[in-house]
Amino acid sequence: MPEIVELLASPSHRYVGRPADGPLPAPVGELVEEIRIRAGLGIVGDRYFGKPAHREASVTVITRESLPAGAGLAAVRRNILVAGIAVDDLVGAVLILDSGDGPVRLRVRRAAHPCAWMDVTVGPGAWKALRGKGGVRCEPLDDGVLRLGPVTATVTAAA
């Protein structure tokens, strides 16, 4: 059964400057047990919430199967880490996730391409290894809550 493995809602952008300088320290509490999503705005409390330039890409999803063992959301800076859902194949579709509080529809707009920071935060070679499987950027279509644990995942064609 698919599951939500990790959730990240970070109020700050940690990757500034050059990767060789390393990321800024992680804010306390960015890995959470639940996230509240607002249609057209993103994840409440996240650095991209309500930002006009990010409205169609304010929620990012990656599958655990794409990551090296031990790597998590703090390293790749995606919002939702799932297991058992091939998210990289969903560009153009609508991913519907329900972790028990009702469905949340996410329009999968485009791939979330990895960057050179991945070699620093995940490990050498990660940037190249994650090409084509760095997750997806989504536009939230519903208000709702997603929680860690089992999740019902449905995919529909974009309307």
Side-chain angles (χ1 to χ4, degrees):
M1 173 175 211
E3 68 176 309
I4 296 175
V5 179
E6 283 186 317
L7 295 167
L8 181 138
S10 182
S12 64
H13 187 68
R14 295 181 48 215
Y15 299 160
V16 293
R18 297 174 301 162
D21 297 333
L24 296 173
V28 175
E30 69 178 4
L31 291 174
V32 295
E33 293 189 15
E34 72 177 42
I35 54 174
R36 185 164 304 279
I37 295 175
R38 297 280 314 277
L41 296 172
I43 297 170
V44 176
D46 189 69
R47 64 202 175 280
Y48 295 123
F49 181 79
K51 303 274 194 236
H54 294 278
R55 290 217 173 128
E56 291 187 353
S58 60
V59 177
T60 55
V61 184
I62 191 167
T63 186
R64 178 173 60 190
E65 290 81 0
S66 293
L67 299 178
L73 291 180
V76 294
R77 304 304 288 168
R78 303 296 186 249
N79 299 115
I80 303 171
L81 177 63
V82 296
I85 306 169
V87 299
D88 295 298
D89 300 333
L90 301 180
V91 174
V94 174
L95 172 62
I96 305 165
L97 299 174
D98 188 341
S99 60
D101 290 291
V104 175
R105 294 177 303 142
L106 302 170
R107 183 183 314 273
V108 183
R109 292 288 188 173
R110 63 184 184 268
H113 300 293
C115 66
W117 280 98
M118 299 303 102
D119 284 345
V120 174
T121 60
V122 176
W127 179 21
K128 188 174 183 178
L130 286 170
R131 288 184 189 154
K133 51 185 180 176
V136 291
R137 297 186 180 282
C138 305
E139 173 187 8
L141 302 177
D142 301 305
D143 290 353
V145 174
L146 293 175
R147 301 176 194 280
L148 295 177
V151 65
T152 301
T154 310
V155 178
T156 63

